[in-house]
């Protein structure tokens, strides 16, 4: 499956990215969060990974899990020109991370749920 061009264009243009997933994260949410964050860092992007809830202990074996910040810590490292929302069927699923979205922030939505309304600037 090809990545939609609008997603690639927005990520390519981004300077400071915040990557997040849904509250009460499960394996696919944490895997996506860590995988995309690592890929973007390898591309030379400034990336902050954040989740409202801590990474569950059963996923502490995954490389990079300690780099996932709290909402408060992520707020101190902002602002972000682009926020990438992973594995969230709607924007409310990211919880308090929504408070980090400001006027002018590009919102990229990458999700597999059929119920997703395709919120954001790129989906």
């Amino acid at each position: 499956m090809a990545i939609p061009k609008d997603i690639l264009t927005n990520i390519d243009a981004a300077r400071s990215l915040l990557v997040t997933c849904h509250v009460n994260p499960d394996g696919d949410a944490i895997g996506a969060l860590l995988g995309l964050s690592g890929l973007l860092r390898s591309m030379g992007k400034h990336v902050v990974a954040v989740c409202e809830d801590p990474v569950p202990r059963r996923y502490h074996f995954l490389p990079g899990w300690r780099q996932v910040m709290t909402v408060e810590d992520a707020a101190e490292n902002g602002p972000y020109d682009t926020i990438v929302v992973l594995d969230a069927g709607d924007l409310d699923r990211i919880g308090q991370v929504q408070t980090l979205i400001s006027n002018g922030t590009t919102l990229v939505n990458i999700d597999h749920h059929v119920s997703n309304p395709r919120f954001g600037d790129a989906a």
Side-chain angles (χ1 to χ4, degrees), residues 71-121:
V71 176
E72 295 79 18
D73 288 341
E76 292 176 11
N77 284 279
Y80 306 96
D81 57 37
T82 302
I83 295 179
V84 181
V85 178
L86 302 170
D87 195 36
D90 63 64
L91 195 54
D92 288 339
R93 292 280 291 137
I94 66 171
Q96 291 301 307
V97 176
Q98 289 182 74
T99 63
L100 302 176
I101 301 171
S102 60
N103 229 359
T105 302
T106 299
L107 193 59
V108 175
N109 169 1
I110 302 174
D111 179 57
H112 63 96
H113 298 95
V114 293
S115 61
N116 187 305
R118 301 180 62 80
F119 61 84
D121 301 298

Side-chain angles (χ1 to χ4, degrees), residues 44-72:
K45 302 285 185 181
H46 169 65
V47 179
V48 169
V50 63
C51 186
E52 179 176 292
D53 297 309
V55 174
R57 186 167 179 77
R58 68 177 154 270
Y59 304 119
H60 286 189
F61 70 94
L62 294 170
W65 76 268
R66 288 190 168 133
Q67 295 175 353
V68 178
M69 292 186 181
T70 64
V71 176
E72 295 79 18

Side-chain angles (χ1 to χ4, degrees), residues 11-27:
I11 288 176
D12 187 49
R15 294 178 315 277
S16 179
L17 294 106
L18 180 126
V19 181
T20 191
C21 63
H22 62 75
V23 297
N24 299 315
D26 52 12

